[in-house]
Each structure stands twice: as structure tokens, then as C-alpha cells.
Amino acid sequence: MKLIQFIKSKSFLTSLIIALIIVVIGVVGLLKWLSITTNHGQQIEVPKLVNLDAFQAESLLEQNDLRMVVLDTLDYDKNYAPLAIVEQDPAYGTYVKENRKIYVKINAAGFGKVIMPNLDELTFRQASSTIKSLGLKEGTISYSPFIGKDVVLEVRQNGRRLKKGDAVVKDSRIDFVLGDGQVGLSEEELDVAPDID
């Protein structure tokens, strides 16, 4: 009974109205603050950055109130200029808000180097697949007398003999000297083979 009288009292109703006014003002203020801090309704189109260098891209983004973050430098791709942007996120043409970070990946300045493995006495097929997996290309093939056909005798580049551990630029050509399979035992040596009883 005292609870019902308290609810009907003037002090409770005044407190309730003040609390409701504070909640309404707080919600309206919070919504206004969110629309200002999140730039609600604002849209900036992301410019195309692919094929631009980092300085050009950064300048273009600053004009649009956007920021650039370089994520990575990718292996050299000859379809793009050295140090040009290869990928961007968000993509060109999408809409973002002011001060948004645009993440980019940049093409390397040139091909990196790989370390030559030992290819001596492998078959040409094995050696060819090995160099392709390293990002190298097959160059010229020449033959030299050797008992094994298509066995790698030497690996060369620009006339210089390569050995295990040499650093070679990716995407360059590797020349092979292979065995011709023509060297073997003469007929006389075959005739002298021991008899097996």
C-alpha cells in the first residue's frame, strides 16, 4: 500500500519525468555525436591507384582526404613498372569515408635472386623442372660426349659456368650442356667381357 502511494506521489512523478528527459537528451546527443564522428552520409570514391608510383598515389589520396598504407612489396612483375602499385584495397570505384586507410601492395624494383642448386648429373627433365620452380627459364641446349643421354653435365649463363650456391637473377635464362649418349663400350670391349659359368 505504501508503494502505491509512493508511485502516485508528486516527488516520484517529478523524478520520473527528469529521468526521461535525461535519457532522451542522452540518446539524441549520442546519435548526433555518432553521426559526426562516423561521417554518416559522407562518401568519397576511391581513386584508381594501380600503376601509379607511391608518391603519385599518396598525393592523389591526400587530395581526397584518404590515407595510404603499404602492406607489402610483391615479387617483380614485368607487366607493371618497377615500384608501381599492383593491388589496392578497397578497390577502385568503391565509396569510403574521410580519413580511410587504403592498403596497397607495390611491385618490386626488379627481379630478386635465387640460389642455384646442384644440377650436375640430373636428367634434363629433373633439372628443367627445378629451374622453372625457382623462376628461371630454359636457355640453349648443347650436347657433349657422355655415356648418359640428356644428363646435365654443365649449367651456364652468359658463357659463365654456374655451380651450386651461385646467385642468379630470377626470370633469366639458364643454358644446359647435356650428355649425348654416344659414348659407350666399343665392340672390342664388349667381345672381351668375361664368361659366366
Side-chain angles (χ1 to χ4, degrees):
M1 181 106 157
K2 289 184 179 183
L3 179 63
I4 294 173
Q5 286 176 348
F6 173 72
I7 291 174
K8 290 182 178 179
S9 71
K10 186 177 181 181
S11 63
F12 174 74
L13 291 175
T14 305
S15 298
L16 184 62
I17 291 170
I18 291 172
L20 286 173
I21 291 171
I22 290 172
V23 168
V24 169
I25 290 172
V27 168
V28 169
L30 180 65
L31 291 175
K32 197 72 163 165
W33 176 78
L34 281 174
S35 71
I36 291 169
T37 57
T38 61
N39 299 325
H40 182 70
Q42 181 187 48
Q43 291 186 332
I44 299 172
E45 186 175 5
V46 176
K48 183 177 181 181
L49 304 177
V50 173
N51 284 323
L52 297 179
D53 67 38
F55 298 111
Q56 293 170 326
E58 196 163 23
S59 173
L60 183 59
L61 290 176
E62 284 176 2
Q63 292 170 12
N64 290 295
D65 295 322
L66 299 171
R67 294 183 292 154
M68 183 175 80
V69 176
V70 177
L71 281 182
D72 198 4
T73 301
L74 302 177
D75 282 341
Y76 182 72
D77 184 344
K78 58 187 170 188
N79 296 321
Y80 296 93
L83 303 176
I85 292 174
V86 177
E87 295 177 20
Q88 71 180 77
D89 182 39
Y92 160 67
T94 55
Y95 289 94
V96 295
K97 298 182 186 303
E98 181 182 12
N99 243 356
R100 170 71 190 265
K101 291 178 184 174
I102 309 299
Y103 298 96
V104 298
K105 293 182 180 178
I106 295 179
N107 195 22
F111 287 109
K113 292 189 175 185
V114 293
I115 302 299
M116 282 298 294
N118 184 13
L119 301 177
D120 291 346
E121 299 188 12
L122 292 179
T123 65
F124 175 66
R125 194 172 80 191
Q126 291 171 318
S128 177
S129 64
T130 301
I131 67 160
K132 286 177 184 173
S133 70
L134 293 171
L136 301 170
K137 296 179 181 176
E138 288 177 21
T140 60
I141 297 172
S142 58
Y143 289 91
S144 184
F146 188 73
I147 193 167
K149 182 160 177 54
D150 291 334
V151 172
V152 177
L153 302 178
E154 289 181 21
V155 182
R156 297 182 168 271
Q157 185 178 52
N158 301 325
R160 179 177 69 101
R161 185 174 182 171
L162 298 174
K163 57 187 180 304
K164 178 182 177 181
D166 286 346
V168 179
V169 176
K170 268 189 178 183
D171 203 52
S172 60
R173 295 194 177 278
I174 302 298
D175 302 327
F176 289 94
V177 178
L178 305 177
D180 62 4
Q182 301 297 314
V183 175
L185 296 174
S186 68
E187 288 184 29
E188 293 171 1
E189 290 172 316
L190 289 172
D191 285 342
V192 189
D195 292 333
I196 299 176
D197 291 330

